[in-house]
Amino acid sequence: MLKEALQILKNNNYKVTKQRIDLIDYLSKFISSYVQISVVDAYMRSLYPGISHNTVYRNIKEFSDIGLVEYQEKNKTMIKFQCDFEQPHHHHFICSNCGKVIELKECPMDFFTKQLPGCQVDTHAIEIYGLCPDCVKAQNEKAKPLE
């Protein structure tokens, strides 16, 4: 994925710098969960003490603009690395307990646009929240009465 991300940078006329490579490498650890931007900022500042907050946040914004990262709709201070460069438009299920992200393969937009005759939909984002299978299992085990 790092190779694909670097190619996307080049294709969008961004310089491939050591700082950007390190930022992409760190973000690539967050494909199946979101991370707070402040955590990413702190990590980059630990690697590069002279780097400014503005530089980190600007790069994250630019990465979002070219499809390398995704913001969580519910909380714009959370991002994750793009999980599907082939299909950048997609939606997520997000576990409310552990934060695990599951990519949804289909977009339900046709269902909604059929209910909006005459409307022009410009954009949309769909996130579904609940418990992932592991958290459901853990919750059920916790709720079992002692025998």
Side-chain angles (χ1 to χ4, degrees), residues 11-93:
N11 292 349
N12 285 277
N13 300 314
Y14 286 97
K15 289 182 183 176
V16 177
T17 64
K18 174 103 174 81
Q19 289 177 344
R20 284 188 175 138
I21 291 170
D22 288 340
L23 179 56
I24 289 171
D25 185 52
Y26 183 68
L27 290 170
S28 70
K29 294 169 177 41
F30 300 96
I31 292 175
S32 60
S33 65
Y34 283 88
V35 62
Q36 290 184 1
I37 294 173
S38 60
V39 171
V40 177
D41 180 52
Y43 173 78
M44 288 303 292
R45 291 171 58 75
S46 74
L47 290 181
Y48 302 96
I51 196 170
S52 72
H53 297 291
N54 288 344
T55 298
V56 175
Y57 283 75
R58 180 179 37 79
N59 275 278
I60 289 170
K61 170 73 170 96
E62 290 169 348
F63 287 3
S64 173
D65 291 344
I66 61 175
L68 293 180
V69 298
E70 306 171 41
Y71 285 92
Q72 186 179 21
E73 289 301 312
K74 185 176 178 182
N75 183 353
K76 295 286 189 186
T77 63
M78 304 283 284
I79 59 168
K80 66 180 274 319
F81 197 65
Q82 175 63 265
C83 54
D84 191 347
F85 289 118
E86 298 296 317
Q87 185 68 22
H89 174 83
H90 59 272
H91 306 289
H92 297 128
F93 169 87

Side-chain angles (χ1 to χ4, degrees), residues 81-122:
F81 197 65
Q82 175 63 265
C83 54
D84 191 347
F85 289 118
E86 298 296 317
Q87 185 68 22
H89 174 83
H90 59 272
H91 306 289
H92 297 128
F93 169 87
I94 302 167
C95 181
S96 301
N97 185 52
C98 71
K100 180 179 182 180
V101 175
I102 301 171
E103 179 182 354
L104 303 174
K105 297 294 184 187
E106 294 182 31
C107 178
M109 215 38 215
D110 287 343
F111 173 79
F112 295 114
T113 54
K114 287 177 185 172
Q115 298 176 56
L116 301 167
C119 294
Q120 175 184 322
V121 176
D122 295 324

